[in-house]
Amino acid sequence: MKHFIEVSDFSKEEIISLIEVGQDIMQNPAKYGDAMKGRLLATLFYEPSTRTRFSFEAAMLRLGGQVIGFSEAQNSSVAKGESVKDTIRTVACYADIAVMRHYLEGAPKLASIYSDIPVVNAGDGGHQHPTQTITDLLTIQMEKGRLTNLNVVLCGDLKNGRTVHSLVKALSKFENNTFYFVSPKELKIPDYIKNHIKDSLFFEMETLEEGLPMADVLYMTRIQRERFADPEQYEKLKDSCVLTKHKMILAKSDMIVMHPLPRVNEISEDVDSDPRAVYFPQAKYGMFVRMALILKLVSEKENSAENHEEHRHELYSSCSNPKCVSNHEKLEKVGFGLLDKENHIYACEYCDTYYAV
Amino acid sequence: MKHFIEVSDFSKEEIISLIEVGQDIMQNPAKYGDAMKGRLLATLFYEPSTRTRFSFEAAMLRLGGQVIGFSEAQNSSVAKGESVKDTIRTVACYADIAVMRHYLEGAPKLASIYSDIPVVNAGDGGHQHPTQTITDLLTIQMEKGRLTNLNVVLCGDLKNGRTVHSLVKALSKFENNTFYFVSPKELKIPDYIKNHIKDSLFFEMETLEEGLPMADVLYMTRIQRERFADPEQYEKLKDSCVLTKHKMILAKSDMIVMHPLPRVNEISEDVDSDPRAVYFPQAKYGMFVRMALILKLVSEKENSAENHEEHRHELYSSCSNPKCVSNHEKLEKVGFGLLDKENHIYACEYCDTYYAV
Amino acid sequence: MKHFIEVSDFSKEEIISLIEVGQDIMQNPAKYGDAMKGRLLATLFYEPSTRTRFSFEAAMLRLGGQVIGFSEAQNSSVAKGESVKDTIRTVACYADIAVMRHYLEGAPKLASIYSDIPVVNAGDGGHQHPTQTITDLLTIQMEKGRLTNLNVVLCGDLKNGRTVHSLVKALSKFENNTFYFVSPKELKIPDYIKNHIKDSLFFEMETLEEGLPMADVLYMTRIQRERFADPEQYEKLKDSCVLTKHKMILAKSDMIVMHPLPRVNEISEDVDSDPRAVYFPQAKYGMFVRMALILKLVSEKENSAENHEEHRHELYSSCSNPKCVSNHEKLEKVGFGLLDKENHIYACEYCDTYYAV
């Protein structure tokens, strides 16, 4: 574990180990209070995300470390004229670990390739937000005591929600989980995510009422008005994906309600006082996950060997995704990883856009 | 003392105790250098106020604590779409105490109701700025040796100056202080502030020359050009409220000149070198007051019980002040506190707007 | 050494001593890990410069100190209405040392005159950036083992580059250095810089190929398109000042390539992997220089006496440079230092604009 760019880089065992360190920190915070003394975290936020930035900064400070950084590109001369490559190489002169949030997909991956210090992806466009996924897993482990044998209801915009995609992929690695996808037809879970669910069952439905009674875990996400061509359609559909106190009556007494936050209207405020609502504790678990991650990356830095270039092929000279960082930085080559040998499916090494060759 | 929202929430004894802690920190800084080790302060500045932010951050860091935060809402995703209620509940996951500056009146109060951690009001619109008031009191105590038996001259915009209103109310709690209000007619001290002065005397006048000879304390504030409908009127009047080296001849040799800063033209620069000018030391006292406050709030957190809802009545469904936070956040109810039983006067629990029923 | 405003304020011995402290910190970082415990650095960046800010903040934090600050004036209420004089006097209440970056020339100098705490110039308009110069000297010392007997090739915009001017002046203090100035005619090194080179040789040329074979040190800088009235001229000339892998063949095997960063196109990326490229290590040396500087200024604060006003004459009532801070702040007088007794040459005390009287 040299960098933390996407969840699928890691085995089930590595993920479990990360969660266990997070649990240990939670139970013995004093043990870790000086663990990062004298070390520096750089928070490189090319777009603002206060919640995520706070979580990482609190994590480093609670480990006894210190923080430098910028909170949006507009304030940053580094961000303006300079390539991501040069920026990370300079930041590596000052800091011991860097966290990057970027509007371009694959930017943290690109940084990691040129970086002497560990790089953590804190969200790259619509692509990945891997520490959110580990946060979600730790929350389920803490609140339900297991990551297996769960009925997981996911509700909202399942088409565009990167946290949903990543969580489904991660939970599919654990035994006997069943997924219930609740969304308007326009925002259904994509096929390539369903293809990840190999040994588990899944069901699709359009209203929360259908899925709620089975749920051990309910994962709510926001539906953005902008996703609908027809505003009337939005008004008609949105209520079917809103959680209210009234609907909570349908749910099991030991179900948990999760949300990556911030929420807008999709969970009404009268749910907040329900003991099954764990979306604020979830934010707290996120800090402990990030403490575990910083700890692991900085301490494993010396022992780890880099194998980034393995199994990468120079399929095309560029990636077709206009938001891919490879179309915004000067790069000698773009690698494409072989995902599926039989069907000749490759993915861009930066943004993971799929290519069937 | 669970939160610090406005001065009038506290008794004279509590205020004196806070000042005494501030004095002790000033005299024995080493004793407090690690007092907040391992604790985090969140500075939530929805509008910029560098001076106030520096003062709080320096206070926390000099106590051995650490800081996370944002310095204006525009840079903050938290601040954009999310309710104050949700923001404070998330921040409470990461930090041990929060300081809030907001353009809406009552926002810090609202946050305090939903917060598990102490909330400090660092200024809410034109409403309150209570740590400035305690700073002013500590300055007077340090420089004059007492908070009683003082001739206090307040000069400038006495109509709109929240620091002036709050200081007058606070000093009225101490014995035998006399107030001299110096302002253009257009910017006179409001009646509801004068009503607070129960056992003390006060006088109103229009030029600094009239009040200066009596002053033990001279408190200067800025007059903003925008307050005058007629610009000519402003030009004619402003000099009567400007302090110059020449006018200082009229004042006692042990008088002190205070100013909440930043000043514009109301104190000419030739006064700066006069030993009676204490407006820069005043800024330093402000840091010690904030150290005392952070210390008290964090350490008393566990022992304190919340009594916020007491004596609150649901008088109206909303507050009539358009800048009140209750008109910008979804709230189930707005409480109105009974201020004056005889005359049936109530005040909004968030912004303190008065209602005579 | 009370403040650090420009390199020419210091003797060769003082500069060497600073470099030696930097080297010692580099070799024994643990010795200095708590040197600034309990002390605060204020970073006052009136214009953004992320790289420089990171370098100073990392320096203070790695010395065990803490940081408050703002990263651009737009976010700062201090910066908006308030004079530099009042701002530094307030900041001195909270912090133990201040670093100032300003778009106005002479602003850090002005601040230093009114400041009780050490002030460091982190760049003032096109005027000075002295910590960059000490960084350059430490880099040469570390990579070449000496500051004497060097062939130094400087390439790019030598007319406007303040780092080039300052480095030439500094290296001229050391024995037996020879300078090769490579630039388009339009961007030649100014005469007043050449006048500083008293006991050394210098040569001027228009292409990198001419100078490169002699170089012990190659110092690259950016050529900005905006400097050319005729864009075609820019296109024609820019390649003669671009360093490529191909041109590197001409250079000695122990030459070093330096650059103040950020670079744009003037060093092609294929040079990065050449062991002679030291521009990223140079950034790291910059952090150690700033650690040495903070350490020296804070510890020498008590012992030093101020002699700022010496040899200053009130030649004119104002300076003719529109970007000089003296034309933007209310000042009683502007001093002019006597630079050259024989020729009656004076310089503005803030921005160093020359006056032949």
Side-chain angles (χ1 to χ4, degrees), chain A residues 177-243:
Chain A
N177 292 320
T178 309
F179 300 96
Y180 300 81
F181 298 116
V182 181
S183 69
K185 267 195 204 107
E186 289 82 351
L187 299 175
K188 279 177 68 176
I189 192 106
D191 287 343
Y192 68 90
I193 297 297
K194 287 190 281 191
N195 291 341
H196 278 272
I197 309 173
K198 295 211 166 129
D199 307 318
S200 311
L201 288 170
F202 67 87
F203 304 96
E204 296 186 78
M205 44 199 68
E206 284 183 39
T207 69
L208 201 42
E209 282 86 345
E210 296 170 73
L212 207 47
M214 281 81 87
D216 296 309
V217 172
L218 170 61
Y219 197 93
M220 296 295 298
T221 64
R222 201 180 344 158
I223 295 185
Q224 289 172 288
R225 190 188 295 264
E226 308 88 79
R227 302 295 188 191
F228 288 84
D230 178 4
E232 267 176 59
Q233 195 67 1
Y234 167 78
E235 287 305 322
K236 219 166 73 190
L237 287 171
K238 66 163 186 182
D239 283 349
S240 60
C241 291
V242 168
L243 184 65

Side-chain angles (χ1 to χ4, degrees), chain B residues 41-53:
Chain B
L41 167 75
T43 48
L44 313 175
F45 277 59
Y46 287 76
E47 65 175 13
S49 174
T50 308
R51 178 186 308 278
T52 303
R53 184 170 60 83

Side-chain angles (χ1 to χ4, degrees), chain A residues 37-38 40 44 66-70 75-78 80 82 85-86 89-91 93-96 330, chain C residues 34 48-51 53-55 57-58 61-62 66 72 75 261-263 265 269 272 280 283-284 287:
Chain A
K37 190 171 185 299
L40 250 64
L44 313 175
Q66 294 284 8
V67 176
I68 57 173
F70 55 83
N75 288 0
S76 167
S77 62
V78 161
K80 258 183 250 165
E82 197 178 45
K85 285 183 287 185
D86 276 15
R89 280 185 285 196
T90 310
V91 167
C93 296
Y94 309 136
D96 300 293
K330 225 186 310 169
Chain C
D34 284 321
S49 175
T50 307
R51 178 185 309 278
R53 183 169 61 83
F54 276 15
S55 182
E57 293 185 1
L61 294 170
R62 289 198 181 279
Q66 294 285 7
E72 61 161 350
N75 287 1
L261 298 181
R263 57 124 166 236
N265 295 311
E269 287 191 14
D272 293 357
F280 290 113
K284 187 144 203 165
M287 182 179 71

Side-chain angles (χ1 to χ4, degrees), chain C residues 260-272:
Chain C
L261 298 181
R263 57 124 166 236
V264 182
N265 295 311
E266 60 279 8
I267 301 179
S268 78
E269 287 191 14
D270 56 19
V271 177
D272 293 357

Side-chain angles (χ1 to χ4, degrees), chain B residues 34 48-51 53-55 57-58 61-62 66 71-72 75 261-263 265 269 272 280 283-284 287, chain C residues 37-38 40 44 66-70 75-78 82 85-86 89-96 330:
Chain B
D34 284 321
S49 174
T50 308
R51 178 186 308 278
R53 184 170 60 83
F54 276 14
S55 182
E57 293 185 0
L61 295 169
R62 289 198 180 279
Q66 294 283 6
S71 57
E72 60 161 352
N75 287 1
L261 299 181
R263 55 121 168 238
N265 295 312
E269 288 192 14
D272 294 357
F280 290 113
K284 187 143 202 165
M287 182 178 72
Chain C
K37 191 170 185 298
L40 251 64
L44 312 176
Q66 294 285 7
V67 177
I68 57 173
F70 55 85
N75 287 1
S76 168
S77 60
V78 161
E82 197 179 45
K85 285 184 286 184
D86 276 16
R89 281 185 284 194
T90 309
V91 167
C93 296
Y94 308 136
D96 300 294
K330 225 186 309 170

Side-chain angles (χ1 to χ4, degrees), chain C residues 253-289:
Chain C
S253 65
D254 65 346
M255 181 206 61
I256 59 170
V257 185
M258 297 172 67
H259 192 294
L261 298 181
R263 57 124 166 236
V264 182
N265 295 311
E266 60 279 8
I267 301 179
S268 78
E269 287 191 14
D270 56 19
V271 177
D272 293 357
S273 55
D274 191 304
R276 292 169 289 184
V278 303
Y279 31 89
F280 290 113
Q282 190 179 353
K284 187 144 203 165
Y285 295 135
M287 182 179 71
F288 291 109
V289 160

